Structure formats: C-alpha cells, structure tokens
C-alpha cells in the first residue's frame, strides 16, 4: 500500500485550485438512474469513490465514460436492480441508488452498508421515509428489499437533518405521485447541487438549501448536463494546511460562502483571511490561538473538517474544546496525532486539546478514515522531521492529488509507492 512521506517545517506559498465536490459528484451519478439516456457532468474529481460509483452504475447496465474531468453516463433499463455487498461495503454512499431505482423501476435490492470507522451510521431515516411514501421495505440476508407500484408524496419529518436521507428521499420524490415535503431537511451545498441537477432533468423542487424542501412528482425525467460544485471540504483542508504550515496561500475555484463556519473560526484564532468571489487567501503571521469548535449540520462547522481543525489546534496557543455532534465515533485520529506528540484528551464526544506550538515531532502514523488521513498529513506539515502516513488509500477516496497540490505550494511531501512488501497491513 502507498504511503505519504512528509518532512515538516516548510511554509506554504502560492495558489492552488479546488477540485469538484466528491459528495456532490457521487449523488449526481446516482441521480442518473432516474432517466435513461446520456447524462454529462463536468468538474468531476478523479477519486476512488467516483470510480466505485461508476462500477455500481455499470453493474446496473449503464456505460460510464471519463475524459479528463468530464464524465458521461449512458443509462439503460437495468437487467438487475441490485447493489451488491461488495460494492456497497466499499462505499456507503451506494445506498443513494435506492431512492432512484425504487421510484423509477418500482424495485431495488441494496446491501445494507453496515457501520464504519466513524460510527454505526444507520439508514433508518432513509427507509422510514420511503415506507411513509408507500414502499414495502424488508431487510433480508443483509439486503434492503424495496418495492412499490408508485411512491406517493407525503410529509416527512427527519429527527436529524440527515444528508443522505434528504438526498435519497428528494430523488425518490421526483417521480412520486403528488407532493412530498421534507421537514428538517439537511441544508448542505451538495443537496442544492443535486436539486439543481434534478430540476435540469425536469423535476419540480423548491426550498433546497433550507430546512423545508417541497418536491412535486412528475411522470418522467430526462438526462441533462451539469458542472459539479467545488469541494468545500477539500478547499477547507487546503486552507487549514496553509494555516498550520504558515505562509500565504490562495485557495482558488472554491465558494467562500460554503466555508463560512471554518473561516470564522480561523479569524477568531488570529489568521488573516481574505475572500474574493471564488477564492480564499490565508495568511499566517504566527501566534495563532486555540478556539473551541462544535460540529453541526450545515451551516455549522462541518464534521468533515473536525479532524483537520484538531490538527491545527494541536500546534496553537492555549486550550481548545472540540465537540463532535454528528458522528458518535469520529476521534480515531486522536491516537495517531498523539503519536506525533499532540496533547489531546478525548472523552466521549468532546476532546480537550492543549496546544503545543512547535511541539510536534514526525513519526510513523496510520490513516483510519478519509478525513483522519488528511489531519495526519496536515499535522505532519507542522511537525519537526519526517512523518510517514500509511494506509493512504483512505485519502485517495476523497482527495484528488492532495500531495501534488501541497507540493506545488512548497510542502516537502511525496507518495511512496508500495513495493508490496508491507501489504500485510491489509489484514
Ligand atoms: C454525508 O454522510 C457525507 N457523505 C459525509 O462525508 C458527512 O460526514 C455527512 O454527510 C455529514 O455531513 C457523503 O455525502 C457521501 P448523515 P451521510 O446521513 O449522508 C445519523 C466524508 O468524509 N443517521 O447526515 O451518511 C448518522 O448515523 C464523509 O466525506 C441516522 O441515525 O451523513 C450520523 O450520526 C464521511 N439515521 C448522522 O445521522 C439515518 O438514517 C449524520 O448522517 C441517517 C443518518
């Protein structure tokens, strides 16, 4: 397995571009199942999770072609309606094919995704929503077996503003009979991007990006063309990289409004932040201080930036309380950051970080999930000496060439290709 080798201590300077949003691209790809014909997407990041989504669509009969960052999906009536275990276990977002298949073809069999490194991550809210729309849902042999003649519009109130649940129900409702209202809907920018594409396909959707989304079902949708929004989590990771390493960096091709919660915390910590229409400039003059952060659904502080922000707090002045409210087990990076010398005391969902400016030292560490991997790379930028981060296949799921982007800003970082000798780690 590949590793990342980072020699810390280099300030970052220059401009770096943001790629398309992973968490938008995946849902857009699954939305194609709602209409046969050729769908075209631009600005699709080159990532393992995008490849896994393409494989799933291909297993359902679609032809997926990529040229650079443009992906076309030629959708045909599937021969089977099954998303199998091997595909779903690799990528939980595969559950997002359930709503489209069920509403378009009246049936779907999708493997239950199971838990993952950051929490148990149930899908009960997706399933309850579809049941409320008249679907028959049974769980058998590890699979969700769903069927319905035609889904019926109804009122759905989520007890938690679930991102995937909102997306699955919104897609299912596009072809349902009547009006579906989702209350306490998630408001993430990726939901707005998905709704925008569905509207281009002919769907009737109002309120995406607010907590009440109203979808009026139509009889048929058609394929369309769309450009994926910039990845706010990648942009945020690059911004935190600039903050932790020091220097003067402009992160281009992003949407600063999507990053407000992060930028507010960085300003509070003492960083110079300037925003323009599609870019954010971060300047670090040293002496940044610890601030408290509590994750929350958008527009709150994103859980997907919690690990990276914790790395920054590890080298800032003072004490920071980091509270994770979205996932029950998203502190797996703590023990690895401790290997670099960080002073973190996690208790349940709150971690107390005592900052040690200049106090981290390079060490071998191991990535446990996507954002944890990113936090280790960022911490390594601020550590004395060499850090090797192993299991970076997690990083490749969600960051397009992170090492090349950081190296272009002056970081001393390189990918060490596996020679196969350490693949026992797979166990
Ligand atoms: C999406 O996951 C993202 N994934 C996650 O990004 C992100 O962390 C998360 O939203 C929150 O922002 C994709 O978009 C592919 P949720 P999702 O449904 O949809 C509980 C990354 O690093 N819940 O909003 O799975 C759940 O257990 C990833 O890119 C239920 O209890 O998130 C969790 O605690 C990781 N029942 C909370 O809600 C349900 O039916 C939030 O989950 C659904 C969710």
């Amino acid at each position: 397995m590949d590793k990342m080798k980072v020699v810390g201590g280099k300030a970052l300077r220059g401009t770096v571009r943001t790629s398309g949003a992973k968490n938008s691209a995946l849902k857009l790809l699954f939305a194609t199942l709602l209409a046969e014909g050729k769908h075209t997407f631009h600005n699709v990041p080159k990532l393992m999770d995008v490849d896994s989504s393409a494989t799933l669509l291909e297993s359902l009969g679609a032809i997926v072609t990529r040229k650079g960052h443009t992906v076309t999906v030629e959708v045909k009536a599937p021969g089977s309606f099954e998303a199998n275990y091997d595909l779903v276990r690799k990528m939980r977002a595969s559950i997002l094919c359930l709503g489209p298949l069920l509403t378009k073809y009246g049936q779907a069999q999708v493997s239950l995704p199971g838990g993952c490194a950051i929490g148990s991550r149930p899908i009960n809210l997706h399933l309850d929503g579809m049941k409320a729309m008249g679907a028959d849902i049974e769980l058998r042999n590890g699979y969700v077996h769903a069927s319905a003649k035609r889904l019926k519009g109804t009122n759905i109130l989520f007890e938690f503003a679930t991102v995937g649940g909102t997306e699955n129900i919104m897609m299912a409702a596009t072809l349902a009979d009547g009006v579906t209202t989702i209350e306490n809907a998630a408001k993430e920018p990726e939901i707005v991007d998905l709704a925008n594409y569905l509207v281009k396909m002919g769907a009737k959707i109002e309120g995406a990006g607010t907590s009440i989304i109203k979808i009026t079902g139509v009889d048929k949708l058609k394929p369309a063309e769309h450009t994926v929004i910039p990845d706010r989590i990648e942009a945020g990771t690059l911004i935190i990289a600039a903050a932790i390493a020091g220097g003067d960096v402009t992160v281009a091709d992003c949407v600063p409004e999507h990053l407000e919660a992060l930028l507010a915390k960085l300003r509070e910590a003492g960083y110079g932040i300037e925003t323009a229409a599609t870019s954010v400039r971060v300047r670090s003059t040293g002496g940044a201080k610890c601030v408290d952060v509590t994750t929350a659904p958008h527009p709150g502080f994103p859980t997907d930036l919690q690990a990276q922000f914790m790395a920054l707090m590890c080298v800032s002045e003072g004490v920071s309380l980091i509270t994770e409210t979205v996932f029950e087990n998203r502190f797996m990076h703590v023990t690895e950051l401790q290997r670099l010398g960080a002073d973190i005391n996690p208790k349940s969902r709150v971690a107390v970080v005592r900052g040690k400016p200049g106090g981290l030292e390079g060490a071998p560490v191991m990535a446990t999930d996507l954002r944890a991997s990113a936090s280790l790379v960022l911490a390594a930028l601020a550590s004395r000496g060499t850090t090797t981060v192993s299991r970076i296949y997690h990083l490749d799921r969600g960051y397009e060439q992170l090492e090349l982007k950081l190296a272009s800003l002056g970081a001393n970082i390189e990918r060490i290709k596996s020679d196969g000798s350490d693949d026992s780690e797979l166990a």
Side-chain angles (χ1 to χ4, degrees):
M1 269 180 282
D2 292 1
K3 294 182 179 177
M4 207 70 92
K5 179 178 161 200
V6 184
V7 183
K10 292 265 221 152
L12 305 186
R13 286 183 204 287
T15 299
V16 63
R17 226 204 115 241
T18 313
S19 297
K22 167 184 83 97
N23 286 346
S24 198
L26 305 183
K27 324 309 169 52
L28 292 166
L29 289 170
F30 292 127
T32 63
L33 294 167
L34 291 164
E36 286 158 29
K38 186 173 161 192
H39 303 250
T40 305
F41 301 109
H42 307 287
N43 201 31
V44 180
K46 292 185 182 172
L47 301 171
M48 254 162 59
D49 276 9
V50 170
D51 295 343
S52 302
S53 309
T55 307
L56 175 49
L57 291 175
E58 283 165 348
S59 79
L60 294 167
I63 299 170
V64 184
T65 320
R66 179 189 271 279
K67 269 203 188 122
H69 287 89
T70 295
V71 170
T72 54
V73 185
E74 180 87 43
V75 176
K76 304 182 176 173
S80 112
F81 303 94
E82 180 179 308
N84 75 38
Y85 176 64
D86 279 341
L87 293 170
V88 180
R89 82 184 161 83
K90 276 199 197 126
M91 194 189 62
R92 300 179 47 88
S94 308
I95 192 68
L96 270 301
C97 70
L98 180 62
L101 285 175
L102 177 62
T103 197
K104 169 87 176 138
Y105 297 104
Q107 59 166 312
Q109 300 88 44
V110 181
S111 170
L112 278 165
C116 81
I118 60 177
S120 61
R121 302 185 73 182
I123 54 160
N124 57 312
L125 302 174
H126 304 225
L127 302 184
D128 288 349
M130 289 181 208
K131 279 186 204 158
M133 296 175 79
D136 282 326
I137 307 264
E138 279 180 42
L139 304 183
R140 271 188 275 126
N141 308 108
Y143 276 72
V144 177
H145 293 256
S147 60
K149 257 201 164 148
R150 185 175 182 191
L151 293 175
K152 287 202 180 351
T154 186
N155 265 24
I156 292 168
L157 169 62
F158 283 133
E159 71 195 42
F160 185 90
T162 157
V163 173
T166 301
E167 293 165 334
N168 234 344
I169 296 299
M170 187 165 74
M171 289 192 278
T174 56
L175 291 173
D177 180 16
V179 176
T180 302
T181 306
I182 307 174
E183 289 180 56
N184 195 24
K187 297 184 274 198
E188 271 65 6
E190 294 75 24
I191 285 169
V192 178
D193 202 32
L194 175 61
N196 287 342
Y197 185 61
L198 294 170
V199 167
K200 284 184 188 171
M201 291 174 72
K204 292 191 179 158
I205 301 175
E206 292 162 47
T210 75
S211 55
I212 300 184
I213 305 181
K214 184 176 150 194
I215 307 111
T216 306
V218 296
D219 290 338
K220 198 170 167 24
L221 297 171
K222 57 182 191 313
E225 186 165 352
H226 190 71
T227 299
V228 179
I229 57 167
D231 195 314
R232 65 195 165 95
I233 304 302
E234 187 208 20
T237 302
L238 292 167
I239 288 167
I240 300 172
I244 202 168
D248 184 350
V249 168
T250 299
V251 177
D253 295 344
C254 64
V255 183
E257 298 81 60
H258 293 172
L259 289 156
E260 271 169 11
L262 169 67
L263 300 183
K265 282 293 163 189
L266 288 173
R267 286 192 178 107
E268 193 185 328
Y271 290 96
I273 305 284
E274 285 167 39
T275 58
T278 58
S279 66
V280 176
R281 181 175 175 190
V282 193
R283 271 176 298 172
S284 167
T285 44
K289 61 177 197 300
C290 279
V291 291
D292 297 341
V293 156
T294 299
T295 65
H298 193 76
F301 191 95
T303 174
D304 292 347
L305 287 174
Q306 179 258 108
Q308 301 89 314
F309 200 84
M310 185 184 289
L312 177 63
M313 293 300 96
C314 289
V315 293
S316 302
E317 297 273 359
V319 178
S320 163
L321 290 188
I322 299 195
T323 308
E324 172 59 52
T325 71
V326 179
F327 291 106
E328 73 264 33
N329 188 27
R330 209 172 195 181
F331 282 149
M332 298 280 282
H333 40 283
V334 166
T335 45
E336 298 301 302
L337 288 170
Q338 285 167 339
R339 290 180 52 72
L340 298 173
D343 182 346
I344 310 168
N345 184 9
K347 263 207 188 107
S348 180
R349 290 184 176 218
V350 182
V352 182
V353 182
R354 284 171 219 285
K356 293 163 77 175
L360 300 192
E361 267 184 39
V365 288
M366 196 179 279
T368 48
D369 72 73
L370 169 56
R371 309 303 172 187
S373 325
S375 81
L376 295 174
V377 170
L378 299 196
L381 295 175
S383 299
R384 283 191 308 281
T386 303
T387 299
T388 44
V389 185
S390 53
R391 299 201 172 180
I392 55 156
Y393 57 86
H394 290 293
L395 204 64
D396 295 332
R397 289 187 58 181
Y399 288 95
E400 185 173 4
Q401 301 190 316
L402 184 65
E403 73 276 21
L404 298 187
K405 291 190 180 190
L406 291 173
S408 77
L409 296 171
N412 188 340
I413 178 169
E414 63 174 318
R415 180 181 290 258
I416 315 272
K417 286 272 175 202
S418 163
D419 60 6
S421 61
D422 57 358
D423 283 357
S424 54
E425 278 178 17
L426 264 173

